[in-house]
Each structure stands twice: as C-alpha cells, then as structure tokens.
Amino acid sequence: MTEPLSAPQELSRIDAATIAINQRMNRFDGHRQVWLFGYGSLIYKADFPFIERRAASIAGWTRRFWQGSHDHRGTPLAPGRVATIVPQAGAVCDGMAYLITPQVFAHLDHREKNGYLRLATTISFDDGSATEGLVYIANEENAAFLGAASELDIARQIARASGPSGPNSEYLLHLASALRELGKVDAHVFSIEQHLAQLDRAGEAAT
C-alpha cells in the first residue's frame, strides 16, 4: 500500500504540476516581447529583467487576499495570505505592467508556482492605450486557495504568518505602499493594513 504524501510533498507535487501547465501555454509563442501585468509583489519586486515598466490596469477583476502562501510568506502548516484577483463586473485592478522576453517565463513560472496560472488579458495603460498581455491568477480551484474572510480575520492571519521570503505582514505593507506611490486606492488592501496596525498596537499595549 502506498503511503500518503506529507503536506510538503503534496504541495511540491502541486507546484510541479502548476509549472507544467504554465509551460504548455502557447498563446504568445513566436512573440519576441510580451506584456506582463502584476498586481501583488510584482508591483514592487521585479526580480527579473524587463525592457519597460508602466503603470497599468485590467478591467473586470478585483484584488483579494484570498490565496494561501505556503512557500514564500507562510509554511505548509501555517500558510500566509497573499493577493490574487477574482472576477467582479465593473471593477478595475491597478498595478504595474512589464514588457519582458519569453525567456523570463521560466523564472516567473517558478516564482508563481504556488497555484498561479498564466491567463491572457487586455492590459490598459494610463495614457488610454491597451494591449494584450498576460497575468498570473490563482483561482478557487487551486489547492492553496483559502477563499473569502473578513478583512480583520485576514489581518490576524497575516500578523501570525512568516515564511522563507519573510513575514507575511511585510508583503502586505510593501503592496499598500506601492499602491500609494502609484496614486491608486484599494479599499480591501488598505482596510487589512489598518486592521494590522491596530493589532500591532494592541499587542504592544498588552506587553
């Protein structure tokens, strides 16, 4: 009888499957350059070569801290929460777009292996122009998806979580700061940030 996989082994298997699915995407085969839209850590942490970077947005999607992070901002037994985007009619998700070469996909597929799949989308720029590009999305069907929760409960989980890339709170605070630098408002992100600050103050008062 085959022994069941441990949580880390199961997640490694899922990560490998996610990378394989992304590698099969052929929508941009033959393109020398592709626009990539980032809405989470990709806004402030571009650890890959790019040709150009521009503030951008995509329509019909909204940012939510509904994705679990077992590999960067949490652990398999105590996952953090990071951003994904979910469909919402009339919504606009602001972020940053990068013009990259296809060679960068190998790095990005590994970075986003914890449930994020490539999706072709229309990317709009602040000057009114638009182009087809891609975005990595963690939908509700992936194993790391945690789903909706109150912004206070999300803040509580973020306050406790930490992983190989550092505290989960660092991710949230960097994202909120990056959005402000872009002059963009995200009520969901800013509300979680406010709850986190209140939790921090309550913790300091209790010590």
Side-chain angles (χ1 to χ4, degrees):
M1 181 176 177
T2 303
E3 292 185 5
L5 295 175
S6 66
Q9 289 173 324
E10 177 65 12
L11 288 169
S12 294
R13 184 188 67 78
I14 293 169
D15 290 349
T18 300
I19 291 173
I21 292 170
N22 280 327
Q23 289 174 341
R24 289 197 294 270
M25 182 187 187
N26 59 10
R27 181 66 171 267
F28 296 99
D29 283 1
H31 290 229
R32 297 177 62 185
Q33 300 174 348
V34 180
W35 280 100
L36 165 74
F37 179 76
Y39 53 85
S41 62
L42 284 173
I43 297 179
Y44 62 84
K45 186 180 179 182
D47 59 348
F48 51 87
F50 58 88
I51 301 162
E52 185 181 351
R53 174 170 58 186
R54 299 173 64 183
S57 63
I58 57 175
W61 298 89
T62 189
R63 186 174 10 241
R64 290 291 182 265
F65 270 74
W66 292 359
Q67 175 69 359
S69 177
H70 307 87
D71 57 344
H72 287 296
R73 299 292 180 172
T75 66
L77 297 179
R81 275 187 179 259
V82 291
T84 185
I85 51 177
V86 297
Q88 181 174 307
V92 173
C93 180
D94 295 300
M96 189 70 73
Y98 299 87
L99 185 60
I100 61 173
T101 63
Q103 288 74 24
V104 179
F105 288 148
H107 170 76
L108 292 171
D109 287 346
H110 184 267
R111 172 172 167 163
E112 307 297 333
K113 68 184 184 298
N114 195 200
Y116 290 83
L117 297 176
R118 301 184 203 170
L119 178 72
T121 189
T122 298
I123 301 173
S124 299
F125 301 104
D126 287 353
D127 63 3
S129 62
T131 189
E132 185 181 45
L134 67 83
V135 62
Y136 283 83
I137 294 177
N139 64 34
E140 62 184 11
E141 296 175 358
N142 85 87
F145 192 78
L146 296 178
S150 72
E151 285 153 355
L152 175 56
D153 284 343
I154 291 173
R156 286 173 174 149
Q157 183 169 353
I158 288 173
R160 296 190 300 265
S162 186
S165 295
N168 199 177
S169 58
E170 184 180 72
Y171 174 101
L172 169 68
L173 297 175
H174 281 325
L175 176 56
S177 177
L179 289 170
R180 289 192 178 93
E181 288 180 8
L182 290 172
K184 307 300 182 181
V185 174
D186 189 308
H188 176 71
V189 174
F190 292 169
S191 176
I192 298 170
E193 180 192 36
Q194 183 177 20
H195 284 303
L196 183 65
Q198 292 170 346
L199 291 170
D200 285 343
R201 287 194 295 270
E204 291 173 0
T207 58

